[in-house]
């Protein structure tokens, strides 16, 4: 039987590119999102072998329905879960409405929590299963003008580390991807100090390829965190050896 993957936020950007990458590799893809038009376009590109559907990742019941829709075609197994859905608001913390910041936490953190919890039984019964959580290089050090988003990715980082240890006995690996800014609709119109300093150099296809690479057998012995792109790799390597005061200084210079 073909391997399977469930991808959230699959209607556009990184999620769509990831869905197409796994489909090209022969996986049965379950692509879910809240964007109906984007889902219709994805379904047309994927074909009838695959599953698409609406899912608000904050909705635990919706998760169960999405998993049932996909695993009904796979004998109840799930090889890969990709928690990609996320939202972002940039700007000064005090100037962004509180409701918008709360929604960032709900989607980016609660959505990943819901997905991991709902998918666990399917992953456990699948040999060599994987979870890939989309974190961010903003989880290296808290980012001004991205405070709530950065905090949400620190939460994803912690959850990933904990579950990778906790689920190792169930033959489930859990990985976090750490891209910097990616050229998708999420960063349209964004003009903050860090984008001016670092630019927007990654494409959705770059990240999709990194997601696919993260679930290859040779990756099972690798680290939990996978930086995507040269900039993120350099920043992560530097953070591993630099004292905290230096990390703060570097981030202050990049974001001011």
């Amino acid at each position: 039987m073909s391997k399977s993957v469930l991808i959230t936020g699959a209607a556009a950007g990184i999620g769509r590119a990831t869905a197409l990458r796994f489909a090209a590799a022969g996986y049965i893809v379950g692509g879910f999102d809240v964007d109906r038009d984007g889902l219709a376009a994805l379904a047309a590109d994927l074909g009838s072998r695959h599953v698409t559907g609406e899912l608000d990742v904050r909705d635990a019941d919706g998760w169960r329905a999405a998993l049932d829709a996909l695993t009904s075609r796979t004998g109840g197994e799930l090889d890969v879960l990709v928690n990609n859905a996320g939202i972002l608001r940039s700007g000064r913390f005090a100037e962004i409405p509180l409701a918008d910041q709360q929604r960032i936490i709900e989607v980016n953190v609660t959505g990943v929590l819901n997905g991991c919890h709902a998918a666990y039984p399917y992953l456990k019964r699948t040999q060599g299963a994987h979870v890939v959580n989309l974190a961010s290089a903003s989880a290296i050090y808290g980012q001004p003008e991205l405070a709530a988003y950065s905090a949400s990715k620190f939460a994803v980082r912690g959850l990933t580390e904990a579950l990778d240890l906790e689920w190792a006995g169930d033959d489930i690996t859990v990985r976090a991807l750490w891209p910097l800014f990616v050229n998708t609709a999420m960063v349209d119109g964004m003009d903050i100090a860090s984008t001016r300093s670092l630019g927007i150099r990654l494409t959705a296809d770059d990240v999709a390829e990194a997601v696919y690479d993260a679930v290859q057998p040779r990756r099972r012995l690798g680290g939990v965190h996978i930086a995507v792109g040269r900039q993120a790799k350099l920043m992560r390597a530097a953070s591993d050896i630099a004292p905290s005061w230096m990390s703060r200084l570097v981030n202050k210079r990049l974001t001011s």
Side-chain angles (χ1 to χ4, degrees):
M1 182 176 291
S2 297
K3 290 186 176 182
S4 58
V5 57
L6 189 152
I7 304 163
T8 63
I14 293 170
R16 177 183 171 82
T18 302
L20 295 174
R21 178 65 181 89
F22 275 86
Y27 282 68
I28 298 174
V29 174
F32 296 89
D33 205 304
V34 294
D35 176 1
R36 293 181 180 180
D37 291 341
L39 285 171
L42 177 65
D45 287 341
L46 287 176
S48 59
R49 180 170 181 262
H50 306 279
V51 178
T52 58
E54 290 185 56
L55 171 63
D56 183 335
V57 294
R58 298 171 294 178
D59 177 9
D61 290 335
W63 267 104
R64 286 187 283 272
L67 284 158
D68 286 346
L70 175 60
T71 61
S72 65
R73 301 192 181 193
T74 65
E77 295 188 351
L78 178 65
D79 293 279
V80 182
L81 168 66
V82 181
N83 283 306
N84 167 71
I87 59 174
L88 178 152
R89 275 290 303 271
S90 62
R92 297 184 65 82
F93 176 78
E95 297 172 2
I96 297 175
L98 182 58
D100 290 353
Q101 303 202 52
Q102 290 171 333
R103 186 166 177 262
I104 289 170
I105 301 302
E106 290 167 0
V107 173
N108 296 7
V109 181
T110 304
V112 175
L113 192 75
N114 287 347
C116 289
H117 196 274
Y120 172 71
Y122 304 93
L123 296 164
K124 184 179 179 181
R125 69 173 64 108
T126 308
Q127 183 177 2
H130 302 267
V131 177
V132 181
N133 296 325
L134 267 293
S136 165
S138 67
I140 296 174
Y141 196 93
Q143 295 298 297
E145 299 183 288
L146 292 171
Y149 179 80
S150 183
S152 76
K153 296 306 182 180
F154 269 90
V156 171
R157 171 181 179 170
L159 182 66
T160 301
E161 292 171 352
L163 292 183
D164 186 60
L165 292 171
E166 189 172 324
W167 289 356
D170 296 317
D171 195 26
I172 303 168
T173 62
V174 188
R175 297 290 182 259
L177 256 62
W178 295 35
L180 250 171
F181 300 109
V182 183
N183 187 16
T184 67
M186 184 178 281
V187 298
D188 283 352
M190 183 187 293
D191 182 23
I192 59 177
S194 52
T195 56
R196 293 192 293 272
S197 297
L198 298 167
I200 301 172
R201 304 189 181 191
L202 291 174
T203 68
D205 287 335
D206 293 331
V207 184
E209 191 61 38
V211 174
Y212 181 74
D213 184 66
V215 305
Q216 301 312 301
R218 61 185 173 78
R219 273 290 188 181
R220 293 184 71 83
L221 299 178
V224 174
H225 302 297
I226 302 170
V228 182
R230 182 172 177 271
Q231 289 175 311
K233 289 176 181 177
L234 288 172
M235 292 171 68
R236 173 144 170 72
S239 74
D240 286 342
I241 61 174
S244 59
W245 65 265
M246 185 175 292
S247 293
R248 182 181 187 279
L249 179 61
V250 169
N251 277 273
K252 183 178 180 180
R253 290 183 180 276
L254 288 173
T255 58
S256 62

